[in-house]
Amino acid sequence: MQSLRSLLKPKLPKLVTPQPLSSYVSRIRYLMKLKEDDEACREALKSGSLLLYHKLAPLLQKKEKGIYQLPRLRTPDVKRILEKLGRDKKLISEAVLISCPETAEPCFCLDVGDLQKNSMEQLCGGVFMDLRTAFLMLTVPETTLVAKGQALLRWHQTHGFCSATGQPTVRNQSGSQRVSPNSGITYYPQMAPVVIVLVSDGNRCLLGRQRSFPPGMYSALAGFCDLGETLEETLRREVAEEVGLEVDTLQYSASQHWPIPQSSFMLACHATVNPDKTQVVLNKAELEDARWCSLEEVLAALQVKYPPNKPGATPPGFWVPHGFAIAHRLIQEWADQQQHLEKK
Ligand SMILES: NC(=O)C1=CN([C@@H]2O[C@H](COP(=O)(O)OP(=O)(O)OC[C@H]3O[C@@H](n4cnc5c(N)ncnc54)[C@H](OP(=O)(O)O)[C@@H]3O)[C@@H](O)[C@H]2O)C=CC1
Ligand SMILES: [Mg+2]
């Protein structure tokens, strides 16, 4: 039974001291604010850093022989460059917010495709490079940033009109959305979901090659998700469509945004097929070839330097996509697992 004293004494709620937000949460909340608040975003742009692109080719700076970096020019520096070229500084306001990297100020991207490429390169002390070439020069965090910047710029360049009314759409300051004033439809940057899968029969893995791949390159199988499909359904359908096999089990591995040729959201999985039912029936419209590869062959392929040998030359055997592609990760994971099993 409760004492009279405890009944008379009102129970006060325990005071909870608010914990300071972690640096990650603070950064994410700040990014949210910049996306939603045009004025805050305009203010952030004044002192933020900019990745420059010329017709979607990112600007890279040479650090030393063969080593490049992604230069983050400050907004005032870019304004000065634009002034030198006699261009209106208002172009800066077309910059699109990419992210808030851990240690730095907000990072924006801007396409200066209307300006003379050579003059821009001279004034910025860098070169505009094709994105795939840039991927080979940069660190993984840099490739993620430069890919996102290009994807955002491409999306804005191709979504200037409302698909319902045909009227121009208007972007917010951060570039996180475009609105059609007439229809009221809001458009957001899009990615098409794609499943990429490395099929194994327990001892070997299946690699395929599309006609459009560079000579000698083989990769995991991939395919766009159809509307209404689950990841599992897409995976089973694509394997059946492309190589005529039925998947037994599947396991999710990782995901990646892939900007080429349009933004895809790559969902990477491992899958197994019955080792007694491995005969490939190739869909020639989709794949030029598919081959079952042993661990030794895969280890050799992973060693081939990218791009192999000289342009136009095909390396002996075959090779697999570079480490920046999620296909490489799947193939490496499979090889590691097989080596681990062999050691047991
Ligand atoms: N990061 C990585 O490691 C890898 C990334 N990828 C990427 O994955 C994507 C898909 O791979 P892929 O094997 O080509 O795909 P699919 O096997 O689905 O075949 C491609 C075909 O799908 C059609 N298509 C194009 N865009 C779409 C879309 N948004 N939705 C539905 N169908 C579409 C086109 O056919 P049609 O022209 O007849 O309409 C195209 O030729 C590619 O963009 C590729 O770059 C692929 C492998 C590795
Ligand atoms: Mg495919």
Side-chain angles (χ1 to χ4, degrees):
M1 218 168 96
Q2 276 182 298
S3 69
L4 186 62
R5 184 185 275 206
S6 75
L7 283 172
L8 291 173
K9 201 170 152 196
K11 257 199 175 168
L12 290 172
K14 257 193 187 169
L15 273 179
V16 182
T17 341
Q19 282 182 355
L21 295 179
S22 75
S23 62
Y24 170 76
V25 175
S26 309
R27 196 153 47 83
I28 293 303
R29 292 283 172 89
Y30 179 49
L31 198 59
M32 260 176 75
K33 184 175 167 61
L34 298 187
K35 283 184 189 168
E36 289 162 4
D37 182 339
D38 284 358
E39 202 40 57
C41 191
R42 256 190 290 278
E43 209 42 47
L45 178 59
K46 282 184 192 163
S47 55
S49 66
L50 283 164
L51 299 187
L52 292 187
Y53 294 73
H54 190 276
K55 299 200 165 92
L56 297 177
L59 181 79
L60 264 65
Q61 248 170 13
K62 203 172 193 170
K63 239 163 99 180
E64 49 198 89
K65 197 169 178 275
I67 301 181
Y68 285 80
Q69 65 182 2
L70 206 53
R72 306 239 191 108
L73 302 168
R74 309 299 300 258
T75 302
D77 299 331
V78 178
K79 274 188 179 162
R80 270 193 290 278
I81 292 172
L82 293 180
E83 258 174 67
K84 278 190 187 162
L85 292 172
R87 183 63 201 248
D88 195 339
K89 290 177 288 184
K90 281 196 189 123
L91 177 67
I92 301 270
S93 67
E94 287 176 23
V96 174
L97 176 66
I98 310 182
S99 70
C100 269
E102 248 160 76
T103 48
E105 59 286 301
C107 180
F108 296 80
C109 51
L110 178 68
D111 198 315
V112 291
D114 291 348
L115 301 175
Q116 244 278 315
K117 189 170 159 222
N118 292 349
S119 321
M120 277 305 288
E121 287 180 336
Q122 266 173 17
L123 289 166
C124 300
V127 274
F128 290 106
M129 258 184 219
D130 160 71
L131 188 65
R132 269 188 201 273
T133 316
F135 275 177
L136 299 171
M137 313 281 180
L138 300 171
T139 61
V140 173
E142 283 177 321
T143 58
T144 309
L145 202 64
V146 81
K148 185 172 173 185
Q150 194 211 51
L152 282 166
L153 291 170
R154 186 197 302 282
W155 183 79
H156 280 283
Q157 288 172 13
T158 53
H159 288 76
F161 296 90
C162 172
S163 54
T165 63
Q167 295 298 309
T169 54
V170 181
R171 55 168 278 189
N172 62 349
Q173 184 55 50
S174 70
S176 65
Q177 55 176 254
R178 301 188 75 93
V179 177
S180 168
N182 290 332
S183 66
I185 300 175
T186 304
Y187 295 91
Y188 296 96
Q190 294 158 332
M191 299 192 282
V194 170
V195 174
I196 177 159
V197 53
L198 188 64
V199 176
S200 165
D201 70 352
N203 287 313
R204 303 169 300 166
C205 72
L206 187 65
L207 296 178
R209 121 154 230 102
Q210 295 183 15
R211 233 160 251 110
S212 57
F213 285 1
M217 191 182 98
Y218 279 72
S219 185
L221 308 178
F224 288 97
C225 295
D226 280 350
L227 198 77
E229 267 183 341
T230 62
L231 180 159
E232 295 83 350
E233 285 165 345
T234 305
L235 188 151
R236 288 177 197 281
R237 176 181 56 72
E238 280 292 334
V239 173
E241 273 180 13
E242 296 195 352
V243 290
L245 294 174
E246 201 164 325
V247 163
D248 261 358
T249 67
L250 63 91
Q251 194 189 3
Y252 171 77
S253 166
S255 64
Q256 176 187 48
H257 165 243
W258 186 246
I260 306 165
Q262 302 276 340
S263 280
S264 296
F265 181 48
M266 309 294 303
L267 298 152
C269 296
H270 291 277
T272 59
V273 292
N274 183 332
D276 297 328
K277 293 178 183 168
T278 57
Q279 199 187 344
V280 169
V281 181
L282 203 63
N283 179 344
K284 287 274 183 187
E286 304 240 351
L287 291 180
E288 185 181 68
D289 188 25
R291 57 199 284 176
W292 283 107
C293 306
S294 67
L295 175 61
E296 288 66 35
E297 285 176 305
V298 169
L299 289 174
L302 283 164
Q303 292 305 312
V304 179
K305 281 240 181 320
Y306 185 95
N309 304 328
K310 293 175 190 93
T314 312
F318 66 96
W319 53 285
V320 293
H322 188 272
F324 55 73
I326 204 158
H328 185 100
R329 177 191 166 121
L330 278 178
I331 296 164
Q332 185 70 60
E333 276 176 355
W334 181 83
D336 291 346
Q337 196 200 20
Q338 290 300 113
Q339 280 179 305
H340 182 70
L341 288 174
E342 278 191 2
K343 275 192 202 138
K344 273 191 177 175

